Amino acid sequence: MEDTRLSTSAKAEKRAPFSNLVNALPATVPFVPPEQTERQLGRRFQLRLGANESSFGLSPMAKQALIDAAAETNWYGDATNDALRQKLSRLHGVPMESIAVGAGIDEILGWIARLFLNPGDGVTTSHGSYPTFHYHVNGFGGVLHWVPYRHFYNDCEGLARQAHATGSRIVYLANPDNPTGTFLKQEDIRELRRQLPADCVLVIDEAYVEFAPAEDVLPLDANDPNVIRTRTFSKVYGLAGARVGYAIAHPDTIASFDKIRNHFGVARAAQQAALASLADSDFLNRVIAFVNEGKTDYSTLAQELGYTTLPSATNFVAIDTGSEKAARWWMDALEKQGVFIRVPGVAPLNRCLRITVGNQEERNILAHHMKKLKPQVPINEETR
Amino acid sequence: MEDTRLSTSAKAEKRAPFSNLVNALPATVPFVPPEQTERQLGRRFQLRLGANESSFGLSPMAKQALIDAAAETNWYGDATNDALRQKLSRLHGVPMESIAVGAGIDEILGWIARLFLNPGDGVTTSHGSYPTFHYHVNGFGGVLHWVPYRHFYNDCEGLARQAHATGSRIVYLANPDNPTGTFLKQEDIRELRRQLPADCVLVIDEAYVEFAPAEDVLPLDANDPNVIRTRTFSKVYGLAGARVGYAIAHPDTIASFDKIRNHFGVARAAQQAALASLADSDFLNRVIAFVNEGKTDYSTLAQELGYTTLPSATNFVAIDTGSEKAARWWMDALEKQGVFIRVPGVAPLNRCLRITVGNQEERNILAHHMKKLKPQVPINEETR
């Protein structure tokens, strides 16, 4: 009886008072997961090519590490991620004090927004760049300032100009870029860094960097307090489900992450799987070769369909259908065939189909569906 | 050459400008992980009984789920945690809209601090309660107001009075409590809820609730916007390393978590292991029985050593050594024997040894060490 009275009296009270920041936030999620679409459709996707997960799986050594770690799941992971940071330190030639490990780049982008932004602070990025970064900037009260892509490339000059004009504290770009797949060489990034305001931090999200030409990637430099690089085991290493990524930055920045991060946040098995992945460079090279092969296939397919592709330094390809309507039609039509892909939300990217490079079998099925569907594309949706 | 000049010029600039909140934070971590102590000692612990990890492992069904999930690690987990929330909804008889799943209670405590606190807002809790909660409150600019434990129990009257006096937005207690192990029955919690200010949220951290007498646990009620319960798979289910916990709260609160949480933050395998754990109630009951047996052993051991134990509704026991000096001596002496335990940092809890209930073998080894060490306890450190 008391319970009932308690509930009733509680209901009559005003709702729990959230913080001003939270009250100002819209109800939004960065991405609808494919599982939710599957529940809405009432069936599983046949092809899961919309989240840039690796169709080439994980290293057999990483898989074994996960299996071996299962029995030790009753133990927390090492909150300092020491072993993994040591190994990454040797791999990248930077001190381990300049490496922070988190539960994927998504979590780390949250740390970055929180670390640098006072409410109202400006952040500059390309219009249509990674929604989860925008989500975290909004979540900590930052104000986003957009710069249009320039021919589907991040516009470094535009970003620097906008950063000055708005007094931005952060400039963010993904390089290689998502959702376009395009890549800027180290000269361009170095020039962008040089052009930024002195108190502005350049965040380079390198989730796909292993697919880019190594010689064109800006060398790592943990001495620059105004640059943060983020990397992940979710893409080329095929460990998206394990949640492990890292940031390379100035030691002061890494030490400051320690003031705010969820210290025991990385799964113990994920630490082991990441370590094992780094020991299997053969697998890494095989995946890169497979993905390159797949990208050639996608180019050929796009040509056959009368479309072009954007150059890709990632594990996905953006196929330019020429119009937003056509892209949307394709996404819906493919979904009906059980194929999950994404179409970016912002013009002009929204005329592209962003399709993860599948394995040979997946590419065959995709090509089959797309060639069969092509004659049905409504003609008036084909014009630019 | 350009690289070098870039670094030099960057070094000459002032360090990256962190937010006001971050600048005000001390460099602190909630807990030093045992791995770090091991590295300092130069050897592995023989007994790991300091983090209340389950010495009874995980359900064989959960272990199998982890192994089965390994091959699918290339896929992200479902960001909505739908299947797990459905199952928890049926188990607890609350709508799934009142359940949020996160990467352990630690992550969820961060969400809670962020959801409710404007900088400067007050939070009331017992002096010596869970350090990770304090860490998150500080991290979001909250101000902690302490209430002493009352005979090693959370002092409900004191907490309510302090919440009124300080205008606190949150009152936090762990129930069963950590680090004391004591437990407050539903009548006490209900009275505490009734005494709180109308705009104050009561957070009940129930990480150890499965070890408490079920009939004395406050029934779940997702209709009260001013109560949040947190639970975990880290303790009785033995999945600490997988990072999965959940909150049960009013649907408005759960929806607001969606505005700020890291949506793809829970590992895919962790979701599967949690589901499998819930299907293995035999294992759950066995662990509870084993832990109860172990607690009896610890009481006997404490008696043999001339000490008392605090009543425990958890998977650990606080042994009251009578003085801070004695407790610290024991911790150091046990560490030298390769035994990891913890001593709480705050008086009067700091005269207790907080020891996780080990399995039979671990308890034998612990008893062996403690009985052998007992004659060496410096006599002048034994006085209260």
Side-chain angles (χ1 to χ4, degrees):
Chain A
M1 290 308 284
E2 285 198 332
D3 261 334
T4 314
R5 272 192 285 127
L6 176 61
S7 298
T8 313
S9 96
K11 267 185 231 167
E13 285 165 13
K14 68 174 191 299
R15 56 181 253 170
F18 301 126
S19 74
N20 299 336
L21 258 175
V22 169
N23 280 330
L25 289 177
T28 179
V29 298
F31 287 105
V32 173
E35 288 83 359
Q36 188 164 326
T37 312
E38 287 178 335
R39 286 188 295 270
Q40 282 155 0
L41 295 172
R43 59 193 170 88
R44 301 286 301 266
F45 281 118
Q46 183 188 19
L47 297 183
R48 184 164 158 142
L49 301 175
N52 303 338
E53 297 155 328
S54 181
S55 283
F56 306 95
L58 60 161
S59 150
M61 287 164 68
K63 190 181 162 195
Q64 192 57 49
L66 290 171
I67 292 170
D68 293 344
E72 253 191 23
T73 303
N74 56 321
W75 284 2
Y76 290 100
D78 177 7
T80 66
N81 298 288
D82 193 272
L84 184 53
R85 286 165 61 230
Q86 294 242 19
K87 190 143 189 170
L88 289 167
S89 164
R90 285 193 297 274
L91 176 69
H92 293 307
V94 297
M96 68 179 281
E97 292 72 23
S98 65
I99 302 171
V101 172
I105 290 180
D106 280 5
E107 183 183 48
I108 294 171
L109 293 178
W111 300 349
I112 291 172
R114 185 171 168 198
L115 202 58
F116 294 101
L117 299 180
N118 293 306
D121 279 350
V123 173
T124 292
T125 186
S126 299
H127 196 198
S129 66
Y130 190 50
T132 304
F133 177 69
H134 313 159
Y135 169 84
H136 287 306
V137 168
N138 288 325
F140 288 101
V143 177
L144 287 155
H145 301 289
W146 307 113
V147 174
Y149 279 90
R150 194 178 157 86
H151 308 306
F152 296 113
Y153 280 78
N154 285 292
D155 175 4
C156 290
E157 278 177 45
L159 289 167
R161 208 164 37 233
Q162 180 76 293
H164 279 280
T166 60
S168 283
R169 305 286 295 269
I170 298 174
V171 164
Y172 168 91
L173 81 166
N175 193 44
D177 188 60
N178 176 13
T180 65
T182 59
F183 173 66
L184 295 173
K185 294 185 180 183
Q186 52 171 307
E187 295 77 25
D188 297 316
I189 303 294
R190 198 178 287 117
E191 184 58 25
L192 168 60
R193 164 69 186 89
R194 200 176 276 128
Q195 299 295 335
L196 290 185
D199 62 349
C200 179
V201 175
L202 176 62
V203 177
I204 312 173
D205 181 344
E206 301 184 321
Y208 300 96
V209 75
E210 295 85 358
F211 299 106
E215 67 277 14
D216 293 328
V217 175
L218 183 73
L220 291 161
D221 169 13
N223 294 313
D224 186 345
N226 290 69
V227 175
I228 301 175
R229 319 277 284 265
T230 62
R231 299 191 172 187
T232 185
F233 289 89
S234 296
K235 302 302 180 186
V236 74
Y237 293 108
L239 295 178
R243 313 316 298 128
V244 52
Y246 57 103
I248 297 178
H250 190 280
D252 284 351
T253 300
I254 300 299
S256 296
F257 285 150
D258 270 346
K259 293 177 169 184
I260 58 168
R261 72 185 180 92
N262 181 19
H263 282 259
F264 290 83
V266 179
R268 192 173 183 90
Q271 295 171 332
Q272 296 304 321
L275 279 168
S277 295
L278 292 177
D280 194 353
S281 55
D282 284 353
F283 178 80
L284 173 75
N285 293 327
R286 265 202 314 280
V287 171
I288 294 168
F290 287 148
V291 165
N292 286 334
E293 208 175 284
K295 286 194 277 198
T296 307
D297 280 5
Y298 278 1
S299 287
T300 309
L301 173 64
Q303 259 183 317
E304 288 174 23
L305 299 170
Y307 298 143
T308 57
T309 55
L310 309 191
S312 165
T314 64
N315 72 343
F316 63 86
V317 172
I319 297 179
D320 186 352
T321 69
S323 82
E324 179 188 356
K325 277 190 173 177
R328 192 137 293 275
W329 182 89
W330 272 109
M331 192 173 71
D332 294 343
L334 285 169
E335 191 175 283
K336 286 198 186 81
Q337 302 299 321
V339 179
F340 165 52
I341 65 158
R342 285 203 198 274
V343 168
V346 172
L349 312 179
N350 60 2
R351 66 187 205 216
C352 295
L353 313 177
R354 197 198 69 175
I355 311 183
T356 307
V357 173
N359 58 34
Q360 185 68 66
E361 190 193 347
E362 292 171 320
R363 299 199 299 268
N364 291 347
I365 299 172
L366 177 73
H368 168 79
H369 286 309
M370 290 191 81
K371 286 180 192 168
K372 218 171 127 186
L373 285 167
K374 171 67 182 173
Q376 302 171 32
V377 185
I379 208 80
N380 64 341
E381 292 176 3
E382 285 281 23
T383 47
R384 294 203 178 202
Chain B
M1 289 309 286
E2 284 200 334
D3 261 332
T4 314
R5 270 193 285 126
L6 177 60
S7 299
T8 313
S9 97
K11 268 186 227 166
E13 285 163 13
K14 68 180 195 298
R15 55 180 254 168
F18 302 124
S19 75
N20 300 336
L21 259 175
V22 169
N23 280 330
L25 290 177
T28 179
V29 299
F31 286 106
V32 173
E35 287 83 359
Q36 188 165 327
T37 311
E38 287 177 333
R39 283 188 296 270
Q40 282 155 0
L41 295 172
R43 58 193 171 89
R44 300 288 301 266
F45 281 118
Q46 182 188 21
L47 297 183
R48 183 164 159 143
L49 301 175
N52 302 338
E53 297 155 326
S54 181
S55 283
F56 306 96
L58 59 161
S59 151
M61 287 165 66
K63 191 180 163 198
Q64 193 57 49
L66 290 171
I67 291 169
D68 294 344
E72 252 190 26
T73 303
N74 56 320
W75 284 2
Y76 291 100
D78 177 7
T80 66
N81 299 289
D82 193 272
L84 183 53
R85 286 165 61 229
Q86 295 242 18
K87 191 145 189 169
L88 289 167
S89 165
R90 286 194 297 273
L91 175 70
H92 292 307
V94 295
M96 69 180 279
E97 292 73 21
S98 64
I99 302 172
V101 172
I105 290 179
D106 279 5
E107 183 183 48
I108 293 171
L109 293 177
W111 299 349
I112 291 172
R114 186 173 168 196
L115 202 58
F116 293 101
L117 299 179
N118 293 306
D121 280 349
V123 173
T124 292
T125 186
S126 299
H127 196 198
S129 65
Y130 190 49
T132 304
F133 177 68
H134 313 158
Y135 169 83
H136 286 307
V137 168
N138 288 327
F140 288 101
V143 178
L144 287 155
H145 301 290
W146 306 114
V147 174
Y149 279 90
R150 194 178 157 85
H151 308 306
F152 295 113
Y153 279 77
N154 284 293
D155 175 4
C156 290
E157 278 178 45
L159 289 167
R161 206 164 38 235
Q162 180 74 295
H164 279 280
T166 60
S168 283
R169 303 287 295 271
I170 298 174
V171 164
Y172 168 92
L173 81 166
N175 192 44
D177 187 61
N178 177 13
T180 65
T182 60
F183 173 66
L184 295 174
K185 293 186 181 184
Q186 53 171 308
E187 295 78 23
D188 297 316
I189 303 295
R190 198 178 288 115
E191 186 57 25
L192 169 60
R193 165 69 185 90
R194 200 175 276 129
Q195 300 294 334
L196 289 186
D199 62 349
C200 179
V201 175
L202 177 61
V203 177
I204 312 173
D205 181 344
E206 301 185 321
Y208 300 95
V209 75
E210 295 84 358
F211 298 106
E215 67 277 14
D216 292 328
V217 175
L218 183 74
L220 291 162
D221 170 13
N223 294 315
D224 186 344
N226 290 67
V227 175
I228 302 176
R229 320 277 284 264
T230 61
R231 298 191 173 188
T232 185
F233 289 90
S234 297
K235 302 302 179 188
V236 74
Y237 293 108
L239 295 178
R243 312 316 298 127
V244 52
Y246 56 103
I248 296 177
H250 190 280
D252 284 352
T253 300
I254 300 299
S256 296
F257 285 149
D258 270 347
K259 292 177 169 186
I260 57 168
R261 73 186 179 92
N262 181 20
H263 281 260
F264 289 84
V266 179
R268 192 174 183 91
Q271 295 171 332
Q272 296 303 320
L275 279 168
S277 296
L278 293 177
D280 193 354
S281 55
D282 285 353
F283 178 80
L284 174 76
N285 293 327
R286 264 202 315 279
V287 171
I288 294 169
F290 286 146
V291 165
N292 286 335
E293 207 176 285
K295 286 194 278 199
T296 308
D297 280 5
Y298 278 3
S299 288
T300 309
L301 174 63
Q303 259 182 317
E304 287 174 25
L305 299 171
Y307 298 142
T308 57
T309 56
L310 308 192
S312 165
T314 64
N315 73 343
F316 61 87
V317 172
I319 297 179
D320 186 351
T321 69
S323 82
E324 179 188 355
K325 277 189 174 179
R328 192 138 292 275
W329 181 89
W330 273 108
M331 192 172 71
D332 293 344
L334 285 169
E335 191 175 283
K336 285 199 187 81
Q337 302 299 322
V339 180
F340 165 51
I341 65 159
R342 285 203 198 274
V343 168
V346 172
L349 311 179
N350 60 3
R351 66 188 205 214
C352 295
L353 313 177
R354 196 198 69 174
I355 312 183
T356 307
V357 174
N359 58 35
Q360 186 66 67
E361 190 194 344
E362 292 170 320
R363 299 199 300 268
N364 291 346
I365 298 172
L366 177 73
H368 168 80
H369 285 309
M370 290 190 80
K371 286 179 191 168
K372 217 170 127 188
L373 285 168
K374 171 67 182 173
Q376 302 171 33
V377 184
I379 209 81
N380 63 344
E381 294 175 1
E382 284 280 24
T383 48
R384 297 206 179 205

